[in-house]
């Protein structure tokens, strides 16, 4: 790869792996070492997460020994004081711990039961009615969800509350505040007898009261002072009640202020809970305040020139190697981030691969181009490192494991 020759004078990067289909990040203005464009011993600092399986010699941390703890107790909080580190427990004590673990397993035994799902908080309407649909399913001993058709009922009748045989609830404006229970009953034949399962859900009826306000909109705004024209930003207020439900129809008062952005103004209407803030390409800060009655919220907004500081790569962390004479491809995304963690749009990302020794991989059976990784059946590696680079200044790596396709066991 041609661009690797440029890496000779650069230093090292950091390796991070995050979440199951997640991210790998690094923060460094540096590049791979002389020998191959990849990490060498002692030159990659891996974050201390369980996802990073490979760490260069010298950076590996030894796991604490669980010597002296019988199997099954290591994850139970260890041994009582005075017994830690002993190779063998006395028979009586070992039996006592075994009995405790056995009782814990019995307590965790799952019994088949009906689960009712649906809205637990319903606003009493001022007029007309509110319709809410509920569903129920059976959760068996193995935790498997079983579809059922239950019989629906109310534990106690309540004024203005009606429930039909399909689990549809109707609330009229004559209903009063308070709680009631929905009941779903399911019966089936088991061992020549009818067994009945019941599930309940408590529902609260209430009138809404303003509890707090939320503002949706950008807190960090990257600009380009060399560009002409104005920036237009929209902010939306949501008025929330005591049960975290939005209150419709509330009139929001807006106030936008700035001490250092002179060319700034806002547009809003009394009927809409939104405001549009307009300003020129100028760095600074401003505040957006939304107020309803005695409740209000203020959002601090920073306007700045973005500077590239970090890279994140996301994509599949494990790939099953293809069958003979076949190949597979996976798409990876590199996100360039600025000093506030906001994404910078760019097409200047360079991709390449290295093995565990930091040697660049340049083959036809394993290659990456513009984020698309191609893997053929000729790959014999256990894993590979994907590298993404921005302007030969910011680098990040992402480890991808390879696994063999499990062959189906032949029926005897």
């Amino acid at each position: 790869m041609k661009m690797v020759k440029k890496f000779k004078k650069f230093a090292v990067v950091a390796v991070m792996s995050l979440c199951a289909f997640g991210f790998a990040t690094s923060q460094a203005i540096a590049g791979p070492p002389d020998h191959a464009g990849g990490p060498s011993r002692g030159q990659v600092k891996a974050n201390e997460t369980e996802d990073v399986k490979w760490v260069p010699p010298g950076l590996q941390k030894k796991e604490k020994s669980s010597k002296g703890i019988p199997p099954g107790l290591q994850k139970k909080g260890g041994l009582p004081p005075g017994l830690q580190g002993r190779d063998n427990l006395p028979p009586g004590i070992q039996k006592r711990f075994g009995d405790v673990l056995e009782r814990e397993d019995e307590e965790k035994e799952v019994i088949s039961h009906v689960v009712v799902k649906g809205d637990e908080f319903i606003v009493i309407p001022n007029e007309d009615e509110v319709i809410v649909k509920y569903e129920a399913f059976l959760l068996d001993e193995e935790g498997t969800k079983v579809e059922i058709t239950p019989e629906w009922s109310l534990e106690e009748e309540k004024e203005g509350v009606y429930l039909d045989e399909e689990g549809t609830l109707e609330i009229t404006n004559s209903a009063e505040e308070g709680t009631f229970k929905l009941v779903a009953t399911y019966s089936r034949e088991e061992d020549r007898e009818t067994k009945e399962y019941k599930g309940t859900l408590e529902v609260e009826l209430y009138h809404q009261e303003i509890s707090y306000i939320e503002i949706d909109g950008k807190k960090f705004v990257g600009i380009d002072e060399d560009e002409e024209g104005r920036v237009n930003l929209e902010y939306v207020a949501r008025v929330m009640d005591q049960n975290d439900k939005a209150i419709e129809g509330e009139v929001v008062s807006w106030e936008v202020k700035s001490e250092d952005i002179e060319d700034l103004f806002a547009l809003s209407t009394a009927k809409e809970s939104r405001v549009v803030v307009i300003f020129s390409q100028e760095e600074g800060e401003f505040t957006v305040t939304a107020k309803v009655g005695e409740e209000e919220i203020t959002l601090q907004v920073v306007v700045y020139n973005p500077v590239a500081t970090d890279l994140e790569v996301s994509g599949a962390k494990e790939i099953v190697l293809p069958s003979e004479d076949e190949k597979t491809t996976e798409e990876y995304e590199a996100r360039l981030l600025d000093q506030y963690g906001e994404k910078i749009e760019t097409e200047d990302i360079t991709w390449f691969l290295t093995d565990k020794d930091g040697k660049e991989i340049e083959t036809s059976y394993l290659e990456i181009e513009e984020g698309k990784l191609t893997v053929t059946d000729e790959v014999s590696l256990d894993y590979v490192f994907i590298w993404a680079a921005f302007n030969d200044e910011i680098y990040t790596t992402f480890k991808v494991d390879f696994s063999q396709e499990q062959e189906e066991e032949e029926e005897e």
Side-chain angles (χ1 to χ4, degrees), residues 223 227-233 262-265 277-282:
I223 61 170
E227 288 188 6
E228 298 180 357
R230 296 177 178 274
V231 179
N232 290 261
L233 297 176
E262 297 180 358
D263 190 12
L264 180 146
F265 60 95
V277 181
I278 303 172
F279 54 93
S280 59
Q281 305 275 351
E282 180 183 354

Side-chain angles (χ1 to χ4, degrees), residues 213-216 235-239 252 254 273-275 290 297:
I213 306 171
E214 294 179 338
I215 296 180
D216 286 339
Y235 293 88
V236 179
R238 291 200 308 271
V239 184
V252 180
W254 292 95
S273 56
R274 66 188 63 229
V275 65
I297 184 174

Side-chain angles (χ1 to χ4, degrees), residues 38-202:
S40 64
R41 294 188 177 183
Q43 289 183 309
V44 177
K45 181 180 179 182
N47 68 315
E48 298 178 8
T49 67
E50 295 180 359
D51 291 334
V52 178
K53 298 178 181 177
W54 175 80
V55 181
L59 292 182
Q60 299 171 352
K61 287 192 174 182
K62 295 183 179 180
E63 296 182 358
K64 293 183 179 179
S65 172
S66 59
K67 184 178 180 181
I69 303 178
L73 290 182
Q74 289 92 339
K75 296 182 180 180
K76 299 292 181 178
L79 300 176
L83 291 179
Q84 293 92 339
R86 296 190 57 174
D87 293 337
N88 296 291
L89 287 173
I93 295 180
Q94 195 161 8
K95 183 178 185 304
R96 188 184 306 170
F97 272 91
D99 292 341
V100 170
L101 297 180
E102 199 171 345
R103 287 198 300 271
E104 287 181 356
D105 291 338
E106 290 176 357
E107 292 172 358
K108 293 178 181 178
E109 182 181 358
V110 179
I111 301 175
S112 295
H113 60 285
V114 172
V115 178
V116 181
K117 302 291 287 184
D119 201 341
E120 298 179 40
F121 300 97
I122 300 177
V123 178
I124 299 173
N126 294 323
E127 53 187 47
D128 300 327
E129 66 278 334
V130 174
I131 304 296
V132 183
K133 176 67 177 174
Y134 290 84
E135 64 174 11
F137 57 86
L138 182 70
L139 202 63
D140 66 16
E141 294 88 344
E142 297 179 354
T144 304
K145 180 179 176 180
V146 180
E147 299 294 335
I148 61 173
T149 303
E151 294 182 4
W152 291 93
S153 62
L154 296 175
E155 189 173 71
E156 293 182 1
E157 295 297 322
K158 187 173 180 63
E159 175 68 26
V161 179
Y162 308 95
L163 180 67
D164 69 14
E165 59 185 12
E166 295 182 353
T168 301
L169 188 69
E170 179 181 333
I171 308 296
T172 68
N173 57 8
S174 64
E176 296 182 354
E177 289 188 317
T179 62
F180 63 92
K181 284 187 178 180
L182 298 175
V183 181
T185 306
Y186 173 66
S187 302
R188 68 178 179 182
E189 295 293 325
E190 294 182 11
D191 299 327
R192 298 184 180 181
E193 63 179 33
T194 301
K195 194 163 185 179
E196 187 178 87
Y197 300 92
K198 283 188 177 182
T200 63
L201 181 69
E202 185 172 86

Side-chain angles (χ1 to χ4, degrees), residues 221-226 231 279-284 303-306:
V221 184
I223 61 170
D224 186 347
E225 292 183 333
D226 294 331
V231 179
F279 54 93
S280 59
Q281 305 275 351
E282 180 183 354
E283 285 190 299
V303 183
Y304 63 98
N305 281 307

